Amino acid sequence: MAVVRIPEENRRIEDSEAIRAFLAGLSIRYERWAPSYPLTRESTQEEILRAYADEIEALKRDGGYMTADVIDIKPETPNLNVMLARFSKEHWHDEDEVRFIIEGHGLFHIHPREDSLGEGHAGPVVAIEVEAGDLIRVPRGTWHWFDLCGDRRIRAIRLFQDPAGWTPLYTESGAEQGYLPVCMGLQFIPLANP
Ligand SMILES: [Fe+2]
């Protein structure tokens, strides 16, 4: 289950209903899904999409998403650091970022702003650690960045309105440098500063 932290307030939320309600206040959708039949680590993309077909169809109708796929990132993925560096700097997309986690972990940081989320939404940076069973939908235009956790592993269903809209657009604010990518669900060993 996800863990939400608000570092500036030294606050942590671990109850799934409290997480859902808190993130809804930032226009971020959070749900827990269970597969319609058991999956294993060897399950194919097709089996995964079939196991969550009802949930995917409901989300597609609700958000206008046209396609769904499964991304599979492992420690041995070629050019992993280059790929991760694209998303670990603050950015936004002209497309919602919709992820349902099948395996592994990920850490989103959300930087709420009035002009991206509407009046009343500005506030401190929020860290959302996701794991298997977590659905997160970050609306288009939301400033955010993403890191893997210590397992350097994530397998996730993605939904797209138009995959071309998912290019990261950078704020160049450097805001991400003020937040350690700390994952609570795994032992985290910070890298020493050179
Ligand atoms: Fe993103």
Side-chain angles (χ1 to χ4, degrees):
M1 199 171 65
V3 178
V4 167
R5 286 180 297 112
I6 304 105
E8 270 121 301
E9 297 178 352
N10 204 15
R11 184 173 164 206
R12 189 165 154 173
I13 310 171
E14 298 192 48
D15 171 76
S16 67
E17 182 52 32
I19 289 171
R20 193 201 59 72
F22 177 80
L23 294 181
L26 299 174
S27 300
I28 293 171
R29 182 152 152 184
Y30 173 74
E31 292 176 11
R32 293 281 301 167
W33 289 359
S36 58
Y37 59 85
L39 294 170
T40 70
R41 291 186 169 198
E42 281 70 46
S43 296
T44 64
Q45 165 166 322
E46 290 69 31
E47 287 168 338
I48 289 170
L49 294 175
R50 210 180 316 129
Y52 294 102
D54 291 348
E55 289 86 351
I56 290 169
E57 277 314 305
L59 256 192
K60 278 184 174 176
R61 280 195 302 275
D62 186 61
Y65 308 112
M66 304 303 289
T67 58
D69 71 3
V70 178
I71 185 168
D72 196 353
I73 296 173
K74 304 170 182 171
E76 60 270 28
T77 297
N79 297 317
L80 179 57
N81 287 339
V82 174
M83 181 198 296
L84 294 176
R86 292 185 70 207
F87 301 110
S88 62
K89 294 191 289 284
E90 187 172 73
H91 65 274
W92 77 95
H93 309 275
D94 289 331
E95 164 99 5
D96 296 350
E97 185 159 329
V98 189
R99 299 291 181 270
F100 174 73
I101 315 304
I102 303 291
E103 193 183 337
H105 297 80
L107 182 65
F108 289 88
H109 279 86
I110 307 292
H111 187 176
R113 295 178 314 137
E114 296 278 353
D115 47 352
S116 65
L117 294 171
E119 203 173 325
H121 287 286
V125 166
V126 175
I128 310 167
E129 182 180 331
V130 290
E131 65 173 16
D134 292 325
L135 169 91
I136 184 169
R137 177 168 76 174
V138 179
R140 64 173 67 187
T142 305
W143 285 11
H144 67 280
W145 61 95
F146 177 82
D147 294 279
L148 288 182
C149 293
D151 54 355
R152 292 167 73 78
R153 172 83 176 109
I154 198 162
R155 197 173 193 200
I157 297 173
R158 308 186 292 185
L159 286 106
F160 297 103
Q161 288 143 346
D162 172 5
W166 198 62
T167 308
L169 302 161
Y170 297 103
T171 67
E172 306 290 355
S173 73
E176 69 281 354
Q177 292 165 23
Y179 300 87
L180 271 178
V182 180
C183 294
M184 310 305 289
L186 290 167
Q187 187 158 17
F188 175 76
I189 303 165
L191 295 170
N193 285 323

